[in-house]
Amino acid sequence: MKLLVEVVKMLICSFGELDEHAECDFADIDKDSWCYSYIASAFKNGMVNGIDENNFGTGRNISRQDALVMIYRIVKNNLEEVSNDYEFEFSDVETISDYAKEAVKALCANGIVNGYEDVEKYIVMANQTINFYDSKNSCIYVKSADGI
C-alpha cells in the first residue's frame, strides 16, 4: 500500500510543482520532515486540503479515489469539458464518494483512467508505471513507481 505522503511526493515531482518556499501549518507534519516541502507545495497549489483543518493525514494510506481527486486538481485546466449526460460505467460506481465523483468522471471521460475493482481499495504500486495523458491522448509523463 502507498501512503498519502508518498503519492503527494510522486505527483508534486511528476508535475514539477515543488516549491521549496511553500508553507503549511498541519499539526502532524514537522517542518524538518522529508515530506514537508512536498505537502506544503501540494497545499499551496490546491492539490490537497488535509483530513481536517489541522491535520494532513501523515501515515495514512491513500485510496484510489483520493489519488484521482489530487490528479484531477492538477490537470483539470488541461482537460476537455465533460457533458452533463456523460456516465461512466463501473460495477462499484455507487461506492464512489460524492467529493470524488467529478474527478473520476472527468478523468474517465478524458481517457486518463479506467475502472478496476473497488475504488475504495488502497493503491498498491510496486513495479508499476504511471502514465499521465493530456486531453488529446498524448502521453505527457511516464513515471516509474519504484523507489517512491
Side-chain angles (χ1 to χ4, degrees):
M1 292 190 210
K2 282 294 178 195
L3 295 175
L4 176 58
V5 294
E6 293 171 326
V7 174
V8 167
K9 178 184 177 185
M10 180 190 67
L11 292 174
I12 288 295
C13 292
S14 295
F15 288 97
E17 298 287 332
L18 183 61
D19 179 350
E20 295 285 343
H21 303 289
E23 295 184 2
C24 63
D25 291 322
F26 293 118
D28 59 343
I29 298 180
D30 187 330
K31 291 187 184 222
D32 295 325
S33 172
W34 69 268
C35 63
Y36 178 80
S37 61
Y38 302 105
I39 294 167
S41 296
F43 180 72
K44 178 182 176 186
N45 72 24
M47 188 177 90
V48 299
N49 299 319
I51 58 171
D52 60 43
E53 64 184 50
N54 297 315
N55 294 287
F56 173 72
T58 303
R60 292 177 68 137
N61 291 322
I62 184 169
S63 67
R64 290 183 293 138
Q65 70 179 2
D66 289 342
L68 292 179
V69 168
M70 291 190 303
I71 292 167
Y72 174 68
R73 289 175 179 166
I74 294 172
V75 302
K76 69 181 174 185
N77 293 330
N78 296 320
L79 299 177
E80 291 182 17
E81 282 192 45
V82 179
S83 68
N84 289 335
D85 60 342
Y86 175 82
E87 293 185 30
F88 48 96
E89 296 181 22
F90 299 140
S91 61
D92 60 349
V93 69
E94 69 282 345
T95 67
I96 299 172
S97 299
D98 287 341
Y99 73 87
K101 285 182 179 173
E102 179 182 349
V104 174
K105 179 178 179 178
L107 294 174
C108 287
N110 280 272
I112 295 173
V113 297
N114 297 311
Y116 177 78
E117 295 179 10
D118 183 2
V119 75
E120 278 295 315
K121 297 242 185 212
Y122 294 114
I123 293 180
V124 179
M125 295 192 308
N127 300 314
Q128 293 180 5
T129 299
I130 300 162
N131 298 308
F132 297 103
Y133 292 89
D134 66 14
S135 60
K136 296 173 185 63
N137 284 330
S138 300
C139 187
I140 57 174
Y141 193 82
V142 178
K143 174 80 176 174
S144 170
D146 289 355
I148 297 172

